[in-house]
């Protein structure tokens, strides 16, 4: 049987998902200058518009506040949109380290983060995350209260493994783009970015130190999903 996702959903569904995202964000996270400027600044600079949706950004902030997060680590900054949501959710003495491979994206993000008034709380480390993590380790960064994994998808399992060792008990590890239109369960899909999401879920299942679930999402960015793992006490 062919994998059904493409046949089941069409442009009309996408329009509805986007409209509902707009409705939810309009009521529950209304227009905000710094976030709007972050999106506009990224678009002007030609960055791909693949940031989390406004409701997802709010979810990240609510998760951080729910656990009283003070320290956070993000894989994949892009223009700093999710970074701003997370940075705002941390207390004044909190800090957030965000890892971005592309120096020009990091420049855009830095400007957006400054405009949002978060420069003192947020540090961007530029380079491929697997190459910048050792320096982070040497600097004694962590333990982290919340980790958001949203960079190159093939490395999600590696980022999870690294983060798990450095997330405090009661902390959360959240990973974006783990469902990818349902490709997660399409065993014939051998795209490394997809295979990695299966390996990631197997790691979550096998790991006694976390309790995890994945929530499928539809919205302005289509059909995807977020994994949320609570690190055990
Ligand atoms: N978290 C952002 C979106 C991130 S998009 C938001 O929601 O606003 C994914 C980002 O990961 C891109 O900016 C991409 O350049 C970056 N990236 C890709 N490979 C990477 C790597 N190996 N290390 C660090 N960042 C990487
Ligand atoms: C895409 C979406 C994302 O949320 C992301 O982090 C990377 C890529 C995409 O739709 O291509
Ligand atoms: Mg993402």
């Amino acid at each position: 049987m062919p994998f059904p996702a493409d046949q089941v959903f069409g442009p009309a569904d996408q329009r509805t998902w986007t409209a509902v995202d707009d409705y939810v964000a309009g009521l529950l996270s209304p227009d905000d200058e710094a976030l709007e400027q972050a999106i506009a600044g990224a678009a002007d600079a030609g960055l791909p518009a693949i940031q989390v949706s406004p409701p997802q950004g709010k979810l990240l902030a609510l998760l951080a506040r729910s656990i009283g997060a003070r320290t956070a680590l993000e894989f994949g900054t892009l223009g700093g949109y999710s970074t701003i949501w997370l940075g705002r959710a941390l207390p004044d003495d909190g800090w957030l380290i965000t890892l971005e491979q592309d120096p020009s994206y990091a420049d855009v993000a830095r400007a957006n983060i400054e405009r949002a008034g978060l420069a003192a709380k947020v540090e961007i480390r530029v380079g491929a995350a697997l190459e910048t993590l050792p320096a982070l380790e040497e600097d004694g960064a962590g333990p982290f209260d919340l980790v958001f994994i949203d960079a190159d998808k093939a490395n999600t399992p590696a980022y999870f493994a690294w983060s798990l060792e450095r997330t405090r008990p009661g902390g959360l590890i959240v990973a974006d783009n783990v469902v990818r239109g349902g490709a997660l369960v399409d065993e014939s899909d051998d795209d490394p970015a997809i295979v990695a999401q299966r390996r990631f879920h197997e790691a979550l299942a096998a790991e006694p130190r976390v309790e995890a679930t994945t929530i499928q999402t539809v919205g302005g960015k289509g059909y995807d999903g977020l994994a949320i793992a609570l690190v055990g006490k």
Side-chain angles (χ1 to χ4, degrees), residues 63 67 71 73 143-149 159-175 200 203-204 207-213 227-233:
L63 289 172
I67 61 164
T71 63
L73 172 66
F144 301 102
D145 298 320
L146 187 145
V147 178
F148 180 44
I149 300 175
Y159 299 153
F160 169 68
W162 193 94
S163 301
L164 180 58
E165 303 302 327
R166 294 158 185 88
T167 302
R168 65 140 163 110
L172 291 173
I173 301 174
V174 180
F200 172 50
L204 289 172
E207 177 51 66
R209 289 173 291 174
V210 302
E211 281 288 333
T213 192
I228 302 177
L230 174 65
V231 178
K233 293 186 197 296

Side-chain angles (χ1 to χ4, degrees), residues 49-52 56 149-151 153 176-177 180 221 224:
I50 54 174
Q51 68 278 349
V52 293
Q56 289 170 338
I149 300 175
D150 192 25
K153 308 309 166 190
D176 193 23
N177 311 113
R180 295 314 256 170
K221 293 180 68 186
D224 212 320

Side-chain angles (χ1 to χ4, degrees), residues 12-88:
D13 302 287
Q14 181 58 65
R15 279 194 294 276
T16 303
W17 300 341
T18 302
V20 173
D21 258 5
D22 291 347
Y23 172 84
V24 170
L27 281 176
L28 304 181
S29 49
D31 287 352
D32 170 315
E33 207 174 323
L35 288 168
E36 277 186 353
Q37 284 184 353
I39 288 182
D44 288 349
L47 273 54
I50 54 174
Q51 68 278 349
V52 293
S53 68
Q56 289 170 338
K58 179 121 185 223
L59 174 64
L60 290 173
L62 291 175
L63 289 172
R65 287 170 52 198
S66 301
I67 61 164
R70 203 177 67 80
T71 63
L73 172 66
E74 176 177 68
F75 293 80
T77 317
L78 191 68
Y81 182 78
S82 56
T83 317
I84 292 171
W85 275 107
L86 281 172
R88 285 177 171 176

Side-chain angles (χ1 to χ4, degrees), residues 100-139:
E100 174 53 50
Q101 175 166 49
D102 189 309
S104 65
Y105 291 11
D107 288 343
V108 173
R110 202 170 289 110
N112 286 334
I113 288 160
E114 266 171 34
R115 263 201 301 265
L118 292 168
K121 263 195 243 181
V122 178
E123 180 187 352
I124 308 176
R125 296 210 173 193
V126 181
L130 288 177
E131 289 167 25
T132 56
L133 288 175
L136 204 56
E137 173 88 66
E138 279 166 31
D139 294 349

